[in-house]
Amino acid sequence: MPVIAIIGAGPGLGAAVARRFGSEGYSIALIARNQSKLDAMAAELTSAGFTASAYAADVRTPASLEAALANAAAELGPITALQYSPLPSRDYLKPVLEMTPELALEALQFSALGLIHAVRAVLPAMRQAGSGSIIMINGGTSVKARAGYAGTSVAFPAESAYGEMLHEALGDEGIRVNQLVIPGGIPQLQLANGIDGVADRIWDLHAVAGPFRTMLIPLEDGRE
């Protein structure tokens, strides 16, 4: 079975994406910090007829993230699709005048460096297979900096730049690298098809070749 690894899996978008990919025959590796919450998600998905396993890791700790992805690949099979969508800490949403070098570094570790470690863990198998996808989920500050959201305004553009370079470098190898920008909390956006509609968009990014960046809605319509 193909495998999707969802880094930052939670009961909202992560669970919706798990169901969407699971309906297409994918096994699901759930990765986040809290093992007990992940176990509950995996049990719920399993009871619904999907194949799902839980692996605790902190994206700011490379060894734990790499171990989680290695364990997932060993138990479920090579990672076919990687979704990188950990939810940033509220500390990263402080005003720019409260930004410290330490906080900026942590935000970069969380977003850009975490993604780099994750990609380096799954990319060899994707390149060997000649297929795969890497999907980044980011907020609107990946496109336009906001002084009230200093940490993500620093870290998301760095993550985006790395992803865009991968998109250019890997396209000819059959590996898609895409970014979905969601400018605001999904419940507040009042989307017609809700969170399941967002999961459908993510499936489309995986299944159909397209541009690097997709805006879920126009940036100016967001509520971030």
Side-chain angles (χ1 to χ4, degrees):
M1 297 174 67
V3 180
I4 180 171
I6 303 173
I7 298 176
L13 182 59
V17 170
R19 294 190 299 268
R20 183 66 180 86
F21 277 72
S23 72
E24 299 286 347
Y26 277 66
S27 297
I28 305 143
L30 303 169
I31 300 174
R33 285 181 292 180
N34 190 307
Q35 185 70 55
S36 62
K37 290 182 179 179
L38 289 175
D39 287 339
M41 282 185 61
E44 185 174 341
L45 289 164
T46 300
S47 68
F50 303 118
T51 299
S53 296
Y55 308 90
D58 187 332
V59 298
R60 298 167 300 180
T61 308
S64 73
L65 181 57
E66 291 163 1
L69 288 165
N71 290 337
E75 295 175 13
L76 300 175
I79 306 300
T80 312
L82 173 73
Q83 177 175 303
Y84 193 82
S85 53
L87 186 65
S89 165
R90 295 194 65 83
D91 287 342
Y92 307 154
L93 309 181
K94 290 183 176 180
V96 65
L97 295 180
E98 297 179 22
M99 172 66 75
T100 64
E102 293 78 14
L103 188 61
L105 177 59
E106 184 177 320
L108 286 164
Q109 290 172 330
F110 188 88
S111 295
L113 298 183
L115 175 64
I116 293 171
H117 283 288
V119 168
R120 288 177 63 83
V122 303
L123 192 55
M126 290 184 181
R127 297 185 79 181
Q128 183 175 4
S131 64
S133 70
I134 298 163
I135 302 166
M136 304 152 49
I137 311 298
N138 293 112
T141 50
S142 60
V143 179
K144 181 177 175 57
R146 294 185 62 185
Y149 297 78
T152 59
S153 291
V154 168
F156 278 173
E159 180 184 345
S160 300
Y162 175 66
E164 188 167 12
M165 290 186 289
L166 287 178
H167 174 83
E168 296 173 0
L170 296 171
D172 291 341
E173 297 187 36
I175 300 169
R176 300 188 180 104
V177 183
N178 300 98
Q179 178 190 51
L180 179 64
V181 177
I182 305 175
I186 293 172
Q188 289 74 37
L189 296 179
Q190 300 178 347
L191 304 170
N193 296 316
I195 205 160
D196 290 331
V198 181
D200 287 337
R201 292 290 295 275
I202 292 170
W203 169 259
D204 291 342
L205 293 178
H206 165 73
V208 181
F212 167 65
R213 175 174 291 150
T214 296
M215 302 293 298
L216 181 65
I217 62 172
L219 185 65
E220 58 272 17
D221 294 343
R223 301 185 182 180
E224 189 173 38

